[in-house]
Amino acid sequence: MHGDNTTDYLLFLADSSLIMGQRLSEWTGHGPMLEQDIAITNISLDTIGQARYFYQLAAKRQNEKAGGSEVTEDTLAYLRDAHQYRNLLLTELPNGDWGQTILKIYFYANWQKLIYGKLIYTSDKDIAAIADKALKEVQYHVNWSSDWVKRLGDGTAESHERMERALEYLWPYTGEMFMETDYESPQFERDKDFSLDTIRKEWTEEVYHTLQEATLTLPQADTFMHKGGKKGVHTEYLGYILAEMQFLQRAYPGCEW
Amino acid sequence: MEQPLWEVFIRSRQGLDHKHVGSLHAADAKMAIESARDVYTRRMEGVSIWVVESKHIHASNPEEAGSFFDPAEDKIYRHPTFYKLPDEVEYM
């Protein structure tokens, strides 16, 4: 009933959220102030939670297809190598300073909001249910991060300068969110009008609006964009993230605590 | 980052009143409410949040606690325990 496309798509969503959450967790204990430290840790936990739901569903379907039970959320997260990960390149980029991290969250959460907002209508009930739950979380991430983008962009000379730098660095990694792969389009079969191109337009409109309020330079939409993450071709950063994240399970297979 | 202090009040799901739960630092009211959400409602503690800048709260003087509160000590007649309730009145 569910072809490989679904599993690939689930892994793409799961991997993106997991790597996002793993990256954000690096801030835990290092936030600029206690309150924001907790806020970003909450967001990290939200995205890891989303990843878990998608992994669990992917594991269930892989097992159903193979008639086994050896695939679990843990084997998917801990025992796949970088080239098998399908996460967006954006999510694996270094956190940089607070402003760069905030802008990365804003770009990603905005995209999630639009994608999940469509997925709640998909005929695949399991995916729709996860999207419905996640949508509330990412709506908050959007609000929280857009406030920060405006606060820092329209803040001091230094915060503005740092946001401009972050924007210049991150922008070329946003295009990949809207480059369609073969496993994506079948998920939206019900929505005749759906295309990543319309998502891109909605996303860009909203982002431009926020950047404008933040008094930041609007980047060119049709500039060069990096790609590859969705197909397993990653930056050098992912290997290091996985090395740290997967160490325990690789060194002590099946270890629990 | 030096930011003003805010007092946080949360109304729980069952509660009718907002109760003081703690304080936090934030640049403005919106940020204070968001931070309160992140810091104080992570375990479903509440459904409504109030914040007020701590500097707007005026407190009674601890040194006057004696003259403020002690006089109420021996006024037991202020407690409604001396009335005879008719038997027909239930659930009091």
Side-chain angles (χ1 to χ4, degrees):
Chain A
M1 180 180 155
H2 300 291
D4 281 327
N5 276 341
T6 321
T7 311
D8 285 345
Y9 189 61
L10 287 170
L11 289 176
F12 158 61
L13 293 175
D15 291 344
S16 294
S17 281
L18 178 67
I19 298 304
M20 190 73 189
Q22 176 71 14
R23 263 293 189 225
L24 294 183
S25 75
E26 293 170 16
W27 273 106
T28 306
H30 302 277
M33 50 196 282
L34 175 75
E35 292 81 353
Q36 301 307 326
D37 189 292
I38 296 176
I40 203 163
T41 303
N42 284 350
I43 292 177
S44 166
L45 286 170
D46 282 349
T47 54
I48 291 171
Q50 291 157 14
R52 287 193 61 192
Y53 285 116
F54 287 127
Y55 280 134
Q56 285 163 7
L57 186 56
K60 184 168 155 255
R61 292 195 175 166
Q62 283 190 0
N63 286 330
E64 277 168 7
K65 195 162 177 247
S69 64
E70 58 272 21
V71 183
T72 67
E73 55 176 323
D74 284 341
T75 64
L76 291 174
Y78 292 129
L79 302 179
R80 284 183 306 140
D81 286 330
H83 69 274
Q84 295 168 301
Y85 263 74
R86 294 178 169 74
N87 61 283
L88 295 164
L89 296 178
L90 179 73
T91 61
E92 68 198 49
L93 298 178
N95 285 330
D97 59 20
W98 183 251
Q100 186 176 312
T101 306
I102 293 298
L103 193 61
K104 183 165 68 165
I105 295 176
Y106 177 64
F107 286 160
Y108 183 64
N110 236 313
W111 174 81
Q112 281 182 299
K113 189 183 85 176
L114 294 170
I115 294 290
Y116 293 168
K118 293 285 183 195
L119 283 177
I120 57 175
Y121 300 113
T122 179
S123 58
D124 190 323
K125 291 278 174 285
D126 297 322
I127 294 183
I130 299 172
D132 187 48
K133 185 179 181 304
L135 193 55
K136 284 182 192 167
E137 294 172 346
V138 299
Q139 178 64 58
Y140 183 77
H141 303 170
V142 169
N143 294 348
W144 181 84
S145 58
S146 65
D147 282 348
W148 268 106
V149 169
K150 292 177 220 166
R151 194 175 285 132
L152 294 177
D154 193 15
T156 65
E158 188 188 348
S159 72
H160 178 85
E161 180 56 34
R162 280 171 182 254
M163 287 309 282
E164 289 281 15
R165 272 205 299 259
L167 185 55
E168 203 174 315
Y169 176 62
L170 293 175
W171 187 256
Y173 291 93
T174 58
E176 192 192 12
M177 299 191 279
F178 315 105
M179 293 177 193
E180 197 154 316
T181 51
D182 47 4
Y183 55 76
E184 283 175 279
S185 38
Q187 311 310 322
F188 303 95
E189 79 289 341
R190 258 198 180 177
D191 188 348
K192 296 275 183 292
D193 298 327
F194 178 85
S195 77
L196 281 180
D197 210 41
T198 54
I199 295 275
R200 182 175 66 81
K201 287 195 184 94
E202 288 176 55
W203 183 90
T204 310
E205 196 176 320
E206 189 148 339
V207 166
Y208 272 11
H209 184 74
T210 301
L211 294 180
Q212 217 150 22
E213 269 194 74
T215 70
L216 294 167
T217 314
L218 296 187
Q220 291 291 324
D222 55 356
T223 183
F224 168 77
M225 292 289 177
H226 296 279
K227 63 180 173 193
K230 284 179 171 180
K231 295 193 164 167
V233 183
H234 292 278
T235 68
E236 59 182 331
Y237 301 116
L238 184 64
Y240 290 98
I241 297 174
L242 295 185
E244 188 179 356
M245 188 180 80
Q246 298 182 334
F247 167 77
L248 205 75
Q249 281 303 320
R250 299 279 196 189
Y252 306 95
C255 173
E256 288 180 33
W257 70 91
Chain B
M1 279 199 277
E2 208 43 60
Q3 304 191 331
L5 192 67
W6 300 73
E7 300 300 323
V8 181
F9 301 82
I10 306 266
R11 181 164 72 77
S12 72
R13 200 169 287 275
Q14 300 89 355
L16 296 171
D17 53 344
H18 288 71
K19 291 204 167 81
H20 185 239
V21 293
S23 54
L24 49 77
H25 288 92
D28 53 39
K30 187 158 187 266
M31 187 178 176
I33 289 176
E34 287 184 353
S35 291
R37 178 261 192 196
D38 283 320
V39 175
Y40 291 111
T41 67
R42 305 175 78 222
R43 302 175 187 85
M44 300 192 61
E45 289 92 338
V47 292
S48 172
I49 298 172
W50 286 355
V51 294
V52 61
E53 240 189 291
S54 307
K55 70 178 182 193
H56 295 307
I57 291 186
H58 301 267
S60 60
N61 185 351
E63 282 166 24
E64 291 170 3
S67 61
F68 251 56
F69 305 115
D70 288 354
E73 219 166 61
D74 58 351
K75 313 288 197 298
I76 54 167
Y77 49 83
R78 289 178 182 169
H79 294 269
T81 50
F82 297 95
Y83 302 98
K84 282 231 162 21
L85 278 182
D87 290 341
E88 297 80 48
V89 181
E90 293 174 340
Y91 313 119
M92 282 293 280

